[in-house]
Amino acid sequence: MIQYTVRRMLLAIPVLLAILIVVFLLARAVPGDPCKSILGEKATAETCERFTKIHGLDKPVPVQLAIYMSNMLRGDFGDSIRFKRPVLLMLAERLPMTIELGMAAMTLALLVGIPAGILSAVRRNSAIDVVTMFGANIGVSLPVFFLGLLLIYLFAVVLRDTPFSLPPSGRLSPGITPTPFFVYYELAVEPNTGKFYLYQFIAKLYILNSILTSDWVVLKDTLRHLILPSIALATIPLAIIARMTRSSMLEILGLDYIRTAKAKGLPQRMVIMKHSFRNALLPIVTIAGLQMAAILGGAVLTETIFSLPGVGLSVYEAITARDFPVIQGFVLVIAFIYVSFNLIVDLSYAILDPRIRLD
Amino acid sequence: MISQSSESIASVVQIPDDNIADIGNYKSNSLWRLTLRRLFRQRSAQVGMVMLGLLVFTAVFAPIIAPYDPARVIEDANGRIKVRQAPCIHLLGCPADQSQHIFGTDGNGRDQFSRILYGARVSLRIGVTVITAAVLIGTVMGAIAGYAGGWLDNLLMRGTDIILAFPFFLLAIALVFVLGPSLENAMVAIAIVSIPTYARVVRATVLSLRETDYVEASRALGASSWRILFGRILPNALPPLIVLATLGIATAILDTAALSFLGLGAQEPTAEWGTMLGRERNQIFSAPHLVIIPGIAISITVLAFNLLGDGLRDALDPRLVHGKGSK
């Protein structure tokens, strides 16, 4: 197991390297002059020359790549051309938003999708089953951007003056500012050090930060702001997970050992949860892992619609502004998260099914 | 020599007349016939086919059904452009002196209903074109990788690995930026990120059948590699490909609409649902119909292909025999 884990992690390195090279080349293949698109159309040839020199854009692409890679190994992702700030710091500030959103969406998809699928399978062809599967079919077909706007319309326009109204945009309501935990506990930290980035990262995880500082107002506000975006983002994965759970459960429920379990008088709950669900879990975990791609990709749309300052929105803005260091750093981190998730899914097979020997 | 001997066999073996008549009436239970029969019996596939039929009808007859040119800016009696007018339907009590706009008018004063109708053309074309291209390229790639093996297989499959290592939609966004925002480039981007799925399915089929006896027999009979690959092996990849392609059309329409929504796909004045929704998205507070109607149009189209794809999957699954399917 450990040997397999190590080998899989080593095998992920060339994949990440290939991703890095692809992203690097793609970022440079974007047509147009980066100087003009960042400094504006009026930039003179002289300022442009200085600009390309400062950012090393005058060197051949392979040299640029080599410089970038050697810097990255030292933990330096470069500075944003547009914001003149370290990419790593920007990541520390914006990744937390996407992590909260993604985790909320994934939790929602699993917590609703799996029970719905089990119920559908157990009550096969009942009204519950028909309604659930009809709902799942619609859920798969709803575009994230449309559902997001629909939710905004429903909860911020139609229900505006009711107790059910929910905020349509942003992470926090105006006027509410969270106290970073390192300020709260008066921890000394020097700016622009690795520790500072880490502290920033944790402080921007508003849910965690507000628990650390026992600030329940911020916690409630953060959660309220997360509801609509996570529903919008969770719907497609939820529907897919529900369908997979149903078909996987149906397959198991038809097997002989389930009949035996029922025949010897085991309580239904035990037959369903312990005998069936446990064994139906493998395909569900596989499909749930694949949904990470949908969530990371959908984050771009969700963050755009709900004006959330996360990784998805940042990548989109960086691509539009041709901010190379930001594109590279952010896309690499997203790909890293995705690759790690796939690895976790593969490893979990061995835990879920002891017959699978990973080596 | 050979033709002579086969003639002599025919003259020796007498085929009774009544048997020939039987063959005329005999309905073969081929995979395709069975599949079609099962498909028509399935609720979800029926609904999907009816919806799809309506969509195709709309797309084909859009110029006849649509009351206005989708690009025409409509002015009222005083020569003012009718921007973002609420729906006006005469049957529902809209004054007869006002011109009828079932879905109202959009931000440029164009008839929303006509644009929605024309949008069906754009979306269906997107879905079918993108997936046809992806399936063709994917099939060729997968077939070559699976049949040739060796370094070529390795090269092609590592290529698909890299594409699959990115979240699908993010890579599409990056590709469109490289190619430049336009509907054609959005379609190219979505096609590129869709290829690996089809390439892998075809490769798996080719690998599993390459060494089978019937392929070996074909080879012994002197069939060329081409003939073995396309005539003997690839037909077996068709059932999964058809299911995947139908579901793929749904995804392609969804993702192209999402790119258009971000302003990276279809550009004005093309009547594309994603673009229409994206341009009016800030009107969700003041003119929600301009957001909701294109959204519903996208959802219905995607739903139709999803239902049909699901139905096809069940109909083609040999494990679910004669109505004992999951639905």
Side-chain angles (χ1 to χ4, degrees):
Chain A
M1 180 78 187
I2 293 168
Q3 203 184 355
Y4 176 80
T5 314
V6 172
R7 206 175 61 213
R8 277 297 310 267
M9 280 160 97
L10 289 178
L11 274 176
I13 294 174
V15 174
L16 286 171
L17 205 63
I19 290 172
L20 173 68
I21 295 171
V22 169
V23 172
F24 196 87
L25 294 179
L26 276 181
R28 262 140 198 86
V30 177
D33 183 357
C35 166
K36 289 265 163 71
S37 67
I38 288 159
L39 297 182
E41 281 301 320
K42 285 185 191 145
T44 61
E46 211 171 281
T47 44
C48 265
E49 200 179 315
R50 215 169 49 223
F51 175 88
T52 45
K53 202 154 226 159
I54 290 172
H55 295 289
L57 298 173
D58 53 341
K59 300 193 179 71
V61 173
V63 177
Q64 289 183 38
L65 179 64
I67 294 173
Y68 181 70
M69 273 165 46
S70 78
N71 283 342
M72 217 186 56
L73 287 177
R74 274 178 263 132
D76 176 10
F77 280 61
D79 287 357
S80 158
I81 299 178
R82 201 156 59 117
F83 298 107
K84 313 236 174 351
R85 303 178 63 212
V87 172
L88 209 55
L89 180 61
M90 287 176 68
L91 267 171
E93 288 170 354
R94 299 187 176 192
L95 192 57
M97 161 80 247
T98 309
I99 291 177
E100 278 183 358
L101 177 63
M103 279 174 65
M106 203 46 162
T107 313
L108 192 65
L110 292 173
L111 283 187
V112 181
I114 291 181
I118 294 178
L119 201 63
S120 246
V122 174
R123 303 266 156 82
R124 183 178 173 185
N125 292 334
S126 70
I128 296 177
D129 182 25
V130 172
V131 170
T132 312
M133 283 307 115
F134 184 69
N137 264 321
I138 297 206
V140 180
S141 311
L142 277 178
V144 175
F145 51 92
F146 173 50
L147 183 63
L149 290 168
L150 214 55
L151 288 169
I152 290 177
Y153 179 65
L154 192 63
F155 286 95
V157 181
V158 177
L159 299 172
R160 186 166 37 196
D161 298 318
T162 68
F164 302 106
S165 89
L166 285 168
S169 67
R171 287 188 80 182
L172 290 168
S173 304
I176 292 185
T177 35
T179 320
F181 75 98
F182 54 90
V183 176
Y184 185 82
Y185 291 107
E186 293 169 355
L187 299 173
V189 61
E190 296 209 10
N192 291 325
T193 55
K195 200 169 162 194
F196 176 71
Y197 289 173
L198 182 67
Y199 280 7
Q200 275 293 333
F201 178 76
I202 297 171
K204 287 282 174 180
L205 286 165
Y206 284 167
I207 296 178
L208 182 64
N209 187 65
S210 58
I211 293 173
L212 283 175
T213 59
S214 22
D215 191 342
W216 311 124
V217 179
V218 171
L219 181 64
K220 191 183 160 208
D221 200 50
T222 310
L223 291 176
R224 269 169 58 85
H225 278 80
L226 260 182
I227 296 176
L228 295 186
S230 41
I231 294 177
L233 190 54
T235 302
I236 290 182
L238 192 162
I240 292 176
I241 289 171
R243 292 206 304 196
M244 189 41 110
T245 307
R246 178 181 182 270
S247 66
S248 179
M249 280 294 280
L250 278 181
E251 203 157 301
I252 303 280
L253 285 173
L255 295 181
D256 287 344
Y257 80 91
I258 296 296
R259 195 179 44 196
T260 310
K262 281 183 191 161
K264 68 183 184 185
L266 287 180
Q268 198 194 18
R269 175 184 296 268
M270 189 138 156
V271 175
I272 292 169
M273 293 316 295
K274 206 167 169 191
H275 288 71
S276 318
F277 180 61
R278 179 81 216 251
N279 287 303
L281 210 54
L282 216 58
I284 301 172
V285 168
T286 308
I287 207 99
L290 287 176
Q291 291 318 303
M292 261 321 271
I295 284 182
L296 288 172
V300 180
L301 293 163
T302 316
E303 289 173 9
T304 313
I305 291 161
F306 292 94
S307 338
L308 299 169
V311 169
L313 188 59
S314 305
V315 170
Y316 177 68
E317 284 174 353
I319 296 178
T320 330
R322 304 173 41 84
D323 197 342
F324 298 135
V326 177
I327 306 176
Q328 283 153 203
F330 277 56
V331 173
L332 200 63
V333 167
I334 294 175
F336 181 76
I337 294 174
Y338 186 47
V339 170
S340 336
F341 243 86
N342 286 339
L343 179 61
I344 293 171
V345 166
D346 281 358
L347 293 178
S348 67
Y349 287 165
I351 300 164
L352 292 173
D353 188 346
R355 285 172 306 181
I356 295 178
R357 302 274 297 271
L358 300 172
D359 38 44
Chain B
M1 279 302 282
I2 291 166
S3 63
Q4 230 176 17
S5 67
S6 63
E7 263 170 34
S8 60
I9 288 170
S11 62
V12 173
V13 182
Q14 294 239 327
I15 301 168
D17 290 353
D18 53 334
N19 241 3
I20 293 172
D22 265 351
I23 288 169
N25 273 333
Y26 174 71
K27 276 196 180 148
S28 80
N29 262 336
S30 75
L31 174 69
W32 304 114
R33 196 184 289 273
L34 270 176
T35 303
L36 269 186
R37 216 178 295 156
R38 277 192 234 153
L39 190 65
F40 280 111
R41 249 188 257 143
Q42 243 157 18
R43 186 75 51 79
S44 72
Q46 287 167 356
V47 177
M49 280 187 284
V50 169
M51 286 165 68
L52 204 57
L54 285 173
L55 280 164
V56 171
F57 180 85
T58 312
V60 171
F61 295 104
I64 299 171
I65 311 169
Y68 295 94
D69 182 325
R72 190 184 136 196
V73 176
I74 293 153
E75 297 170 351
D76 63 10
N78 304 325
R80 267 178 310 199
I81 296 170
K82 292 182 171 184
V83 176
R84 295 197 187 103
Q85 238 189 15
C88 167
I89 304 165
H90 287 159
L91 275 175
L92 296 179
C94 181
D97 56 332
Q98 282 183 28
S99 56
Q100 172 160 279
H101 298 290
I102 299 177
F103 294 159
T105 55
D106 73 358
N108 289 332
R110 295 167 299 197
D111 183 50
Q112 182 82 349
F113 180 57
S114 308
R115 291 180 69 72
I116 292 283
L117 292 180
Y118 273 89
R121 292 186 150 193
V122 181
S123 282
L124 290 180
R125 202 191 72 204
I126 291 171
V128 174
T129 319
V130 166
I131 294 307
T132 309
V135 168
L136 286 180
I137 298 171
T139 303
V140 171
M141 269 178 67
I144 292 174
Y147 201 74
W151 66 271
L152 201 55
D153 181 23
N154 247 321
L155 182 77
L156 289 172
M157 285 305 114
R158 293 300 81 75
T160 61
D161 279 349
I162 291 174
I163 295 181
L164 290 172
F166 287 95
F168 188 87
F169 188 61
L170 209 61
L171 185 60
I173 292 182
L175 285 174
V176 177
F177 265 105
V178 173
L179 300 167
S182 78
L183 179 55
E184 283 67 33
N185 289 341
M187 288 164 67
V188 170
I190 300 289
I192 291 176
V193 291
S194 314
I195 290 173
T197 320
Y198 307 108
R200 294 192 152 207
V201 169
V202 172
R203 177 176 174 270
T205 312
V206 173
L207 278 183
S208 70
L209 297 178
R210 200 172 57 176
E211 310 298 338
T212 50
D213 289 344
Y214 83 93
V215 170
E216 196 62 32
S218 257
R219 203 170 286 140
L221 283 171
S224 65
S225 289
W226 249 178
R227 192 178 165 79
I228 292 173
L229 199 52
F230 286 92
R232 301 282 179 269
I233 296 180
L234 282 184
N236 295 290
L238 268 181
L241 271 183
I242 289 173
V243 174
L244 280 176
T246 314
L247 296 171
I249 291 178
T251 318
I253 292 175
L254 206 61
D255 287 324
T256 317
L259 285 175
S260 295
F261 172 82
L262 290 173
L264 300 174
Q267 306 293 322
E268 283 285 324
T270 311
E272 202 273 336
W273 294 330
T275 312
M276 290 162 68
L277 204 161
R279 284 180 63 90
E280 301 291 347
R281 72 176 151 120
N282 292 327
Q283 309 308 324
I284 186 77
F285 301 103
S286 54
H289 62 277
L290 292 180
V291 172
I292 293 172
I293 294 168
I296 292 175
I298 301 171
S299 309
I300 287 178
T301 313
V302 174
L303 182 62
F305 281 105
N306 274 334
L307 287 174
L308 184 60
D310 277 354
L312 274 169
R313 187 197 337 247
D314 289 351
L316 280 165
D317 192 339
R319 285 177 302 175
L320 311 168
V321 194
H322 295 291
K324 270 181 77 182
S326 64
K327 270 172 193 164

